[in-house]
Amino acid sequence: MTRAATSDQWRQFQGATLNFISENTAPTAAIAANTKPFTDLTGIDVRIVTLELTALVQRVALDLASGRAQYQVIYADPYQVLAPYQRGLVDLRTLEADPNLPKLPGGVGDFIPVQMDAAGRFVDPTAYYALPYDAPTMIWQYRQDLFAKYHDRMANDLGFDPTPGGDRTWEEYFKIAQWFNKNATSDVKYGTGHQARQHDSLMNDFSNVLWSYGGAYFDNGKEVGRLGARDPGPCRLDSEAAIAGAEFYNRLLSIADPASKTWDWDGVGAAFRSGRLAMCPNWHEFAASNELVMPGKAGYAVLPKGPVATANMYGGTGVGISANTMPNERGAAWLFLVWATSPETQLANLKSKAGGGTPTRTSVYEMPEVRAAEKRPSPMPNMLTAAAVREAWTPERIGLRPKIPMWNECNTAIFTQLSTMLSGAESPANAMRSIKSRVDQIVARGWVA
């Protein structure tokens, strides 16, 4: 790849081709449907490969080990790519500081701070290896039409205001679900549904409850989630708080739609849209599908609080550059990162029929047309969740799983044992102790890329 002699920073790599490997997410779907604006701006052709996350991680690991980048731009999942392969990614400060390359509009400071740390950094609080690209976050999704219909009756029967929001507790959520099970079967089959299949989705769904009960995977859980750690120390799932959280989660699933144990996020999302459930915790970006299928019927709020804390699982990811890229390839890849995460592109993604996505920049949320889209009728349906996710992204509410190199293996141990618990084969206390034992073995073995 040669560098053209031009005063236009955006045209210096014209004629080049970049390969971008990504999970099939909303912003990538929107960009893949229309790469023309980037090519017109830069003269660079972008080829996008989208894969399921597990396959993407395997492909990236092989590419990083090869010593020569087939994929210059990488969708760097914080837990399965950034933490284990951080040394294979470029420290983007070097490109931001290059006077021959365009700067990030608004600088790093325009990205939502907790997302910049969680999706972009690892251990070192100053270096950054990815730019926040998407921001799926778990929130409370509910049938606001049914909550309005039954509000007074529920309030009278339950003795509290059932309106979803951060003031509700998980115990109240349980009672609301139980009330729907008994009193509203003509409208919905079940009060709640969950993504409790033996899958990554189960760990996500459970973690919201775990943290709200004061449980943690490791000591200094918020720091290990936000910046990460190479060695997080002993697992703490055998604590009284963690066991209490597991006991409640097990009890909650006992009154949830029984199909919950077969669902990941797509399954519970489809069940909610079909009118089967009164409410569920799920990723906020399902709002776009909800509004398409049942316009005006869904409401969105932060998840309930527990006895100790509150938590809304964050599942965002950044985009980074392979350290195997040659200098000029890095420059071209930087142009793509700057463009793909720019306010203009994030706004276009919000409007896209092919994608949607959610902005990761503060400035986008301040745009008048984006603010207006927070109310129905909305041309950007994911923005109907904006009030909920803004609250969910505050440091005290965001839920961050451990960002450690060996997380993928730990995650498998967690959701496998949780599934055993939900089947009734093991008590919550024994399940937590079993997970702790297995995770300690994994962590003690360390990580070798």
Side-chain angles (χ1 to χ4, degrees):
M1 184 185 294
T2 58
R3 199 168 194 162
T6 174
S7 59
D8 185 346
Q9 291 184 324
W10 288 96
R11 301 293 298 183
Q12 56 189 310
F13 304 110
Q14 56 189 310
T17 298
L18 288 174
N19 293 318
F20 172 30
I21 186 168
S22 174
E23 187 179 10
N24 189 14
T25 63
T28 298
I31 287 172
N34 187 20
T35 58
K36 188 174 184 295
F38 177 72
T39 300
D40 288 349
L41 175 67
T42 64
I44 298 170
D45 182 37
V46 182
R47 296 173 182 168
I48 300 175
V49 174
T50 57
L51 298 171
E52 183 272 329
L53 184 58
T54 301
L56 175 142
V57 173
Q58 293 170 345
R59 190 82 63 89
V60 167
L62 290 171
D63 199 47
L64 294 177
S66 73
R68 181 73 180 90
Q70 178 182 353
Y71 306 103
Q72 295 86 11
V73 181
I74 295 171
Y75 179 85
D77 179 88
Y79 314 98
Q80 298 192 45
V81 175
L82 175 56
Y85 303 113
Q86 169 259 312
R87 293 184 177 93
L89 300 172
V90 172
D91 182 348
L92 298 178
R93 291 178 300 177
T94 59
L95 298 167
E96 170 71 358
D98 188 335
N100 297 312
L101 296 173
K103 302 291 184 189
L104 287 166
V108 171
D110 189 35
F111 291 104
I112 294 164
V114 71
Q115 295 183 23
M116 187 65 222
D117 286 349
R121 306 185 196 276
F122 184 61
V123 181
D124 183 345
T126 59
Y128 55 96
Y129 305 94
L131 299 177
Y133 179 66
D134 60 14
T137 303
M138 291 189 77
I139 57 172
W140 187 347
Q141 304 187 23
Y142 61 96
R143 286 287 299 278
Q144 65 178 5
D145 57 334
L146 299 185
F147 272 78
K149 177 180 178 179
Y150 291 112
H151 177 274
D152 293 348
R153 192 174 150 200
M154 270 199 287
N156 185 61
D157 290 351
L158 297 174
F160 60 86
D161 181 354
T163 304
D167 291 333
R168 298 280 68 76
T169 67
W170 276 111
E171 282 290 352
E172 289 172 340
Y173 183 100
F174 180 95
K175 291 173 183 176
I176 294 168
Q178 205 168 39
W179 191 93
F180 271 104
N181 286 351
K182 294 175 180 176
N183 299 286
T185 52
S186 62
D187 287 307
V188 287
K189 287 190 174 183
Y190 295 97
T192 187
H194 293 263
Q195 45 186 277
R197 175 183 150 204
Q198 187 173 318
H199 180 270
D200 176 58
S201 57
L202 174 52
M203 177 280 301
N204 285 294
D205 198 58
F206 165 73
S207 294
N208 297 311
V209 172
L210 169 74
W211 292 322
S212 74
Y213 271 73
Y217 289 104
F218 300 100
D219 288 335
N220 304 314
K222 284 190 177 290
E223 183 180 343
V224 173
R226 187 158 179 164
L227 286 176
R230 297 193 189 281
D231 179 1
C235 178
R236 297 303 188 195
L237 285 184
D238 59 340
S239 71
E240 289 184 12
I243 291 171
E247 288 171 345
F248 173 79
Y249 186 74
N250 195 46
R251 186 159 57 90
L252 177 61
L253 267 289
S254 74
I255 66 158
D257 189 323
S260 296
K261 296 170 191 176
T262 70
W263 290 337
D264 60 9
W265 40 76
D266 288 325
V268 75
F272 181 66
R273 290 192 301 276
S274 74
R276 187 178 171 115
L277 309 172
M279 59 186 183
C280 63
N282 206 356
W283 302 103
H284 81 277
E285 290 180 341
F286 277 83
S289 300
N290 294 343
E291 297 305 313
L292 189 65
V293 175
M294 49 179 193
K297 291 185 177 181
Y300 308 99
V302 292
L303 290 173
K305 62 185 178 182
V308 176
T310 182
N312 295 259
M313 173 66 85
Y314 164 79
T317 291
V319 279
I321 299 173
S322 170
N324 288 337
T325 55
M326 302 301 286
N328 286 351
E329 287 182 322
R330 291 188 187 195
W334 173 253
L335 296 187
F336 181 76
L337 260 61
V338 172
W339 175 83
T341 63
S342 68
E344 294 76 18
T345 301
Q346 292 197 353
L347 178 62
N349 290 349
L350 261 179
K351 296 177 177 179
S352 172
K353 301 297 184 191
T358 303
T360 58
R361 288 176 168 274
T362 302
S363 62
V364 179
Y365 289 92
E366 294 170 349
M367 294 177 179
E369 65 180 306
V370 175
R371 282 211 172 274
E374 293 183 24
K375 294 183 174 63
R376 293 183 174 96
S378 176
M380 311 171 196
N382 279 338
M383 289 310 299
L384 296 172
T385 69
V389 293
R390 269 198 296 266
E391 192 175 349
W393 291 333
T394 57
E396 61 273 16
R397 280 196 175 273
I398 196 165
L400 297 168
R401 74 199 82 172
K403 190 163 57 173
I404 58 176
M406 61 292 290
W407 174 247
N408 197 29
E409 196 175 352
C410 292
N411 184 22
T412 301
I414 292 162
F415 65 65
T416 300
Q417 210 62 44
L418 285 171
S419 188
T420 301
M421 176 188 81
L422 294 178
S423 74
E426 195 164 30
S427 71
N430 284 341
M432 293 300 99
R433 293 182 187 118
S434 296
I435 297 171
K436 180 228 173 3
S437 176
R438 178 68 185 127
V439 167
D440 282 346
Q441 291 172 5
I442 294 166
V443 171
R445 194 173 67 238
W447 168 260
V448 179

